[in-house]
């Protein structure tokens, strides 16, 4: 078995060779991207879709409410629901931040979480008359956490990059390795918290459905009362559990989602601020501009000029020449 430092060195070398330019680089799997940043960024507002973020060089810190999460070569970040927060990036041109962004396929993650819980329940029944092993800690659901990268996970990520080198292996083997990576994370140090969050019937699962509805219908007229009813909660309970999950209110979350979506539309699609604001559901372009500047600290035009190169998506160059 390779040492962790050796595996990380190989991962960093492979990702560095993939990402000649700052920004995101696509892979053969549409939900796997590679990241590179040549500059440090402080407390930048970001919106992560459900993902596993593995940093192989440099460091990032996420700020959600009063919590801070550090993810680097020793710790990875898991975000299992669309989440707006702020992030620092530690990087230089000589030592760029390099990472792998693995999108979470919700149906697959939930299927694996259920299978793991059922297997563990069967094992627990065999251990004690009560069906619960003595000393088993309570599982506190969470949609965002950072935890240690262990050897088995690092090796699986390395095998994923190697599989992506070949079109045939990318099609046949890479999805199976992604499934293994999900399993390793669900069985990891904080995997119980993610499994609890994915459990059907929990209030976290109900909030997760509301977040996905907002994520998919951000341009619609979203009504918090309707979201609460569709989640099977009273309005006060919905507000309480929503804030527990996201550290913000439903209205603020919807606003942040729309502003982040508009930002990406302007950066990646070349829309002007007026068109982008209408596309994401704003009726007033002046209100959009005020709220955009309040969140990002710059006008829409200034923000697009600053971030276009950082959030640019490049075509994958392949890994066939990498070891």
């Amino acid at each position: 078995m390779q040492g962790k430092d050796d595996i990380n060195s190989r991962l960093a070398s492979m990702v560095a060779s993939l990402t000649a330019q700052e920004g995101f680089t696509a892979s053969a799997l549409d939900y796997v991207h590679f990241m590179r940043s040549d500059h440090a960024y402080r407390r930048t507002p970001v919106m992560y879709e459900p993902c596993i973020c593995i940093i192989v060089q440099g460091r990032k810190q996420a700020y959600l409410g009063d919590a801070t999460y550090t993810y680097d070569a020793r710790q990875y970040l898991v975000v299992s629901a669309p989440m707006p927060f702020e992030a620092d990036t530690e990087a230089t041109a000589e030592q760029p931040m390099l990472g792998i962004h693995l999108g979470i396929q919700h149906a697959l993650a939930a299927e694996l979480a259920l299978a793991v819980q059922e297997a563990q329940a069967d094992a627990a029944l065999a251990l004690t008359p009560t069906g619960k092993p003595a000393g088993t800690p309570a599982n506190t659901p969470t949609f965002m956490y950072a935890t240690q990268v262990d050897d088995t996970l690092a090796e699986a990520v390395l095998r994923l990059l190697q599989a992506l080198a070949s079109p045939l292996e990318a099609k046949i083997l890479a999805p199976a390795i992604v499934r293994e990576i999900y399993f390793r994370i669900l069985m990891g140090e904080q995997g119980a918290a993610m499994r609890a969050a994915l459990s059907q019937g929990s209030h976290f699962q109900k909030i997760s459905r509301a977040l996905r509805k907002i994520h998919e219908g951000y341009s619609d007229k979203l009504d918090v009362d309707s979201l609460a009813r569709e989640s099977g909660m009273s309005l006060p309970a919905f507000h309480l559990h929503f804030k527990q999950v996201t550290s913000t209110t439903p209205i603020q979350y919807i606003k942040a989602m729309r502003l982040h979506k508009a930002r990406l539309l302007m950066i990646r699609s070349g829309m002007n601020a007026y068109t982008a604001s209408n596309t994401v559901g704003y009726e007033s372009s002046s209100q959009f501009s005020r709220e955009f500047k309040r969140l990002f600290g710059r006008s829409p035009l200034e923000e697009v000029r600053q971030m276009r190169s950082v959030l640019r998506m490049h075509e994958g160059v392949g890994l066939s020449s990498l070891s």
Side-chain angles (χ1 to χ4, degrees), residues 62-187:
Y63 305 92
L64 180 65
D66 295 329
T68 301
Y69 306 89
T70 298
Y71 45 123
D72 53 21
R74 292 179 295 276
Q75 294 200 123
Y76 61 93
L77 183 76
V78 175
V79 182
S80 52
M83 199 68 64
F85 56 94
E86 294 183 315
D88 287 341
T89 301
E90 295 181 18
T92 64
E94 295 75 24
Q95 284 285 112
M97 186 282 298
L98 302 169
I100 302 152
H101 182 281
L102 176 60
I104 292 178
Q105 311 300 293
H106 186 270
L108 175 57
E111 172 198 331
L112 286 172
L114 179 61
V116 168
Q117 287 180 323
E118 289 176 345
Q120 290 186 329
D122 290 343
L125 285 170
L127 285 175
T128 69
T130 63
K132 186 172 184 180
T136 298
N139 298 330
T140 302
T142 180
F143 281 135
M144 183 169 174
Y145 65 83
T147 193
Q148 182 179 2
V149 178
D150 61 25
D151 292 344
T152 55
L153 177 60
E155 289 168 359
V157 173
L158 181 60
R159 283 188 281 108
L160 175 62
L161 296 190
Q162 292 168 335
L164 291 173
S166 159
L168 180 60
E169 290 191 8
K171 183 176 181 179
I172 304 300
L173 294 182
I177 300 172
V178 169
R179 184 182 180 92
E180 178 190 347
I181 290 171
Y182 286 179
F183 173 78
R184 299 294 178 194
I185 287 172
L186 288 167
M187 294 300 294

Side-chain angles (χ1 to χ4, degrees), residues 6-257:
D6 180 54
I7 295 173
N8 192 73
S9 177
R10 293 185 67 187
L11 286 169
S13 176
M14 295 170 82
V15 176
S17 297
L18 269 172
T19 55
Q21 301 180 69
E22 193 171 37
F24 293 88
T25 300
S27 80
L29 292 180
D30 60 6
Y31 51 88
V32 178
H33 303 109
F34 305 102
M35 307 179 296
R36 180 187 183 115
S37 178
D38 296 334
H39 304 89
Y41 296 94
R42 300 298 176 209
R43 298 295 293 243
T44 303
V46 296
M47 170 71 80
Y48 276 20
E49 296 185 12
C51 68
I52 299 151
C53 191
I54 300 168
I55 304 300
V56 296
Q57 181 173 287
R59 175 176 296 150
K60 292 179 74 70
Q61 283 191 310
Y63 305 92
L64 180 65
D66 295 329
T68 301
Y69 306 89
T70 298
Y71 45 123
D72 53 21
R74 292 179 295 276
Q75 294 200 123
Y76 61 93
L77 183 76
V78 175
V79 182
S80 52
M83 199 68 64
F85 56 94
E86 294 183 315
D88 287 341
T89 301
E90 295 181 18
T92 64
E94 295 75 24
Q95 284 285 112
M97 186 282 298
L98 302 169
I100 302 152
H101 182 281
L102 176 60
I104 292 178
Q105 311 300 293
H106 186 270
L108 175 57
E111 172 198 331
L112 286 172
L114 179 61
V116 168
Q117 287 180 323
E118 289 176 345
Q120 290 186 329
D122 290 343
L125 285 170
L127 285 175
T128 69
T130 63
K132 186 172 184 180
T136 298
N139 298 330
T140 302
T142 180
F143 281 135
M144 183 169 174
Y145 65 83
T147 193
Q148 182 179 2
V149 178
D150 61 25
D151 292 344
T152 55
L153 177 60
E155 289 168 359
V157 173
L158 181 60
R159 283 188 281 108
L160 175 62
L161 296 190
Q162 292 168 335
L164 291 173
S166 159
L168 180 60
E169 290 191 8
K171 183 176 181 179
I172 304 300
L173 294 182
I177 300 172
V178 169
R179 184 182 180 92
E180 178 190 347
I181 290 171
Y182 286 179
F183 173 78
R184 299 294 178 194
I185 287 172
L186 288 167
M187 294 300 294
E189 186 178 33
Q190 295 196 47
M194 184 177 176
R195 296 198 304 271
L198 292 169
S199 295
Q200 295 292 333
S202 71
H203 71 262
F204 270 72
Q205 179 68 9
K206 294 175 181 178
I207 295 299
S208 179
R209 287 198 297 270
L211 296 181
R212 288 199 300 275
K213 182 175 179 61
I214 295 169
H215 189 65
E216 294 165 1
Y218 57 85
S219 61
D220 300 334
K221 289 186 179 295
L222 293 166
D223 176 75
V224 178
D225 287 348
S226 298
L227 290 170
R229 283 196 303 273
E230 291 173 17
S231 300
M233 296 183 184
S234 68
L235 188 58
F238 182 73
H239 274 276
L240 174 64
H241 293 310
F242 195 100
K243 192 158 189 178
Q244 286 177 343
V245 170
T246 65
S247 295
T248 190
T249 66
I251 291 296
Q252 290 299 318
Y253 181 93
I254 292 168
K255 183 185 297 184
M257 174 68 74

Side-chain angles (χ1 to χ4, degrees), residues 285-304:
S285 58
S286 60
Q287 180 186 2
F288 168 78
S289 295
R290 287 195 304 272
E291 293 182 350
F292 189 99
K293 188 168 186 178
R294 189 176 302 127
L295 178 60
F296 296 110
R298 288 185 283 258
S299 71
L301 181 60
E302 292 168 338
E303 178 69 5
V304 169

